Amino acid sequence: MRIEEDLKLDFKDVLIRPKRSTLTSRSEVDISREYSFRNSGGKYRGIPIIAANMDTVGTYEMAQSLSALRLSTALHKHYDEASLIAFFKSQPPDATVFYSLGITGADYEKFRRVKNAAGDAIAYLCVDVANGYTKSFVDFIRKVRDAYPKVTMMAGNVVTGEMTEELILLGVDIVKVGIGPGSVCTTRKVAGVGYPQLSAIIECGDAAHGLGGLICSDGGCSSPGDLAKAFGGGADFIMLGGMLAGHDECHGEIEEHGGQSKLRFYGMSSRTAMEKYSGGVANYRASEGKEVLIDYRGPVEGTVQEILGGVRSACTYVGARRLKELSKRTTFIRVARQLNEVFGA
Ligand code: 5GP
């Protein structure tokens, strides 16, 4: 047993220090980014925020709405092949929509068939597992990269620099970073495993950027300020679940609870999801997600404007004319934890 004594930080442990700026208005800030991907050679331009591949949020409807706003979507894994083929074929060339898959043989065969039919319309892939440290995950990444050299591949999740480097050298373009921070994730409670998200971003970002790779911070953003901190810490993309839940574009029925309209939102390893897709929780495992009721919030566009407004505001506070400059101009201030957080008072 060993204890790491280094300080590790979450979003709530810091604030961004204001700096002198010549910007006079938030409207002067450009929050789009351009990337050339290290391994696929593909090019990207857009606002680097991605809807999570959860079945409530990573929907076709979400992809349509977010593409129009220049954001991206990782579709969930449970759509059937015919609809996926039709959807990808209908997309404009500048839409950034990720096909998501796990690492089973069935996942790979389904992807192969859909990709064969949809061709170059599928340019982005999201290989998604809860634990990106297994040999089977690494073997799968190698196999996909060998078979599809031109597909831009996002893969994870990991939280440490050395695994980020390994994945990039294996052919991943965007390493997905985050174990345990998700709003409906219970991994930290159930398994006691995780890593404070801001430190994971800083460490994995540093490792990826040194090799010309990129990272996507996945999970833990609950307000626009958290996105500003994630970008400030070095995230190239940010994936959002809970912040995009509760909208017209999400799957699920609107329910009335105490006079309030609500939508159900649940983790993809929750009992709800496992009962829906795997016939229940297998007897050798525990669910690592929970279900919550989220206020119904109408079309996603309003929420996106709020999020982007917050990120623009952060840029003006530190004098970053473009999102690209935000991390260079970010100094974090550590804040003392509130006693009531520590003691649960
Ligand atoms: P959020 O933006 O809601 O904080 O986090 C979304 C992320 O939580 C997803 O992209 C995914 O990585 C993670 N996640 C989704 N469902 C589950 C789950 O059931 N268990 C765990 N451990 N993580 C989940």
Side-chain angles (χ1 to χ4, degrees), residues 5 10 29 36-37 54-55 60 71-72 100 117 145 171 175 194 196 233 250 261 267 272 305 325 345:
E5 300 278 1
D10 252 318
V29 177
S36 291
F37 296 111
M54 302 170 74
D55 68 346
Y60 294 143
L71 279 66
S72 311
S100 304
R145 178 48 83 209
V175 175
C250 298
S261 300
T272 311
Q305 297 312 343
E325 294 166 24

Side-chain angles (χ1 to χ4, degrees), residues 77-259:
K77 301 172 191 170
H78 304 286
Y79 281 123
D80 65 73
E81 293 178 27
S83 75
L84 283 163
I85 294 164
F87 179 81
F88 276 103
K89 281 186 164 173
S90 72
Q91 291 302 291
D94 58 344
T96 311
V97 182
F98 290 78
Y99 178 105
S100 304
L101 74 167
I103 60 168
T104 66
D107 290 328
Y108 186 71
E109 286 310 313
K110 178 179 171 188
F111 169 65
R112 234 168 42 85
R113 288 190 296 269
V114 175
K115 174 79 175 132
N116 276 347
D120 291 342
I122 300 182
Y124 292 89
L125 201 59
C126 171
V127 183
D128 187 33
V129 293
N131 172 10
Y133 288 81
T134 64
K135 181 171 179 304
S136 50
F137 173 66
V138 166
D139 293 344
F140 189 82
I141 297 294
R142 195 179 287 118
K143 175 164 124 180
V144 173
R145 178 48 83 209
D146 285 350
Y148 299 98
K150 288 196 177 144
V151 165
T152 294
M153 185 168 27
M154 174 159 72
N157 282 14
V158 301
V159 285
T160 50
E162 83 288 344
M163 200 63 212
T164 300
E165 285 170 353
E166 179 166 349
L167 292 177
I168 286 171
L169 293 174
L170 274 170
V172 174
D173 297 291
I174 309 164
V175 175
K176 202 145 71 74
V177 173
I179 294 184
S183 59
V184 283
C185 164
T186 56
T187 296
R188 288 177 182 175
K189 282 216 164 92
V190 171
V193 173
Y195 210 94
Q197 185 66 2
L198 182 63
S199 287
I201 293 169
I202 294 168
E203 292 167 28
C204 296
D206 201 40
H209 299 154
L211 290 170
L214 301 171
I215 63 159
C216 173
S217 168
D218 177 19
C221 286
S222 59
S223 63
D226 290 342
L227 279 92
K229 292 173 190 175
F231 283 132
D236 304 292
F237 289 88
I238 296 176
M239 182 169 269
L240 298 178
M243 285 185 76
L244 299 180
H247 296 99
D248 289 339
E249 289 81 355
C250 298
H251 277 186
E253 301 298 318
I254 296 175
E255 300 171 24
E256 296 302 320
H257 288 267

